[in-house]
Amino acid sequence: MTKLTGGRRFGWVVAGVLVAASASAALAATAAQNAVSARQENFKHLGGAFKTINDELKGGSPDMAKIGAAAAQMDQLAAKVPTWFPKGSGVESGAKTRALPEVWSDAAGFAAAERNLQTEAAKLDKVASSGDLAALRAQVKATGGTCKSCHDKYRAPEK
Ligand code: HEC
């Protein structure tokens, strides 16, 4: 009889531990999904600013003030990219993300890809205020190349 009660008590303790464990796993999953959502939102802004520049350059009389503002925004966002990929915010968290596991398993390569973007976005910001359209077009191309090379290696294709 005492044994049975003891067993039951043990059972409740185990159940309690399991509930606590799954609650903290759910919390971690929410944190990961929040990180992914913030990251995707930030990339949308980066992409939006880049589109503004490309759209202006397509037209006959590009608005240099608009281009300058967008280039400055890109430069600022590029500097922050390294903070957008906290460990545990990959697909293993269950979050809906296109970031490949290589972002974390090849951290050195990914950091280099981040630096390439930062270097070219900083140049873009400088060239945008120079008024030299030929140089600006060339720098837009160089910057776009850093987006593509990172996406090719570290982003899963759209499903
Ligand atoms: C260092 C790597 C890297 C660089 C550089 C990079 N990206 Fe990305 N980008 C990613 C990854 C990884 C994702 C997937 C994020 C996710 O789904 O969690 C992504 C996602 C995006 C998205 C989709 C966001 C969404 O709505 O889900 C856009 C748009 C985007 N990037 C634009 C750009 C542009 C424009 C540039 C260059 C100016 C750029 N990226 C440079 C790695 C990079």
Side-chain angles (χ1 to χ4, degrees):
M1 192 65 206
T2 11
K3 227 179 182 179
L4 195 78
T5 318
R8 221 177 255 152
R9 207 169 278 148
F10 179 71
W12 281 117
V13 170
V14 169
V17 167
L18 285 178
V19 166
S22 72
S24 84
L27 202 72
T30 308
Q33 186 56 60
N34 287 344
V36 168
S37 299
R39 158 165 91 223
Q40 291 174 340
E41 198 58 33
N42 284 322
F43 273 120
K44 262 181 210 149
H45 291 307
L46 184 65
F50 201 38
K51 185 177 185 303
T52 296
I53 296 173
N54 277 294
D55 287 351
E56 285 303 322
L57 287 175
K58 265 182 224 145
S61 53
D63 182 335
M64 295 313 288
K66 229 174 165 180
I67 289 176
Q73 191 192 0
M74 285 183 72
D75 186 26
Q76 284 161 17
L77 287 169
K80 293 191 190 126
V81 174
T83 67
W84 299 348
F85 292 89
K87 267 199 186 116
S89 63
V91 282
E92 77 285 353
S93 66
K96 275 186 85 179
T97 173
R98 285 167 69 196
L100 290 172
E102 283 76 7
V103 166
W104 296 275
S105 66
D106 176 25
F110 190 70
E114 290 173 329
R115 277 196 302 276
N116 288 340
L117 169 67
Q118 288 162 354
T119 303
E120 299 307 328
K123 280 190 203 162
L124 184 68
D125 190 23
K126 275 217 183 86
V127 177
S129 54
S130 75
D132 181 343
L133 276 181
L136 180 56
R137 281 183 209 282
Q139 192 50 39
V140 163
K141 222 176 164 194
T143 307
T146 70
C147 315
K148 186 180 185 304
S149 63
C150 188
H151 291 164
D152 286 351
K153 234 175 142 177
Y154 300 100
R155 185 174 73 162
E158 215 154 4
K159 272 181 209 149

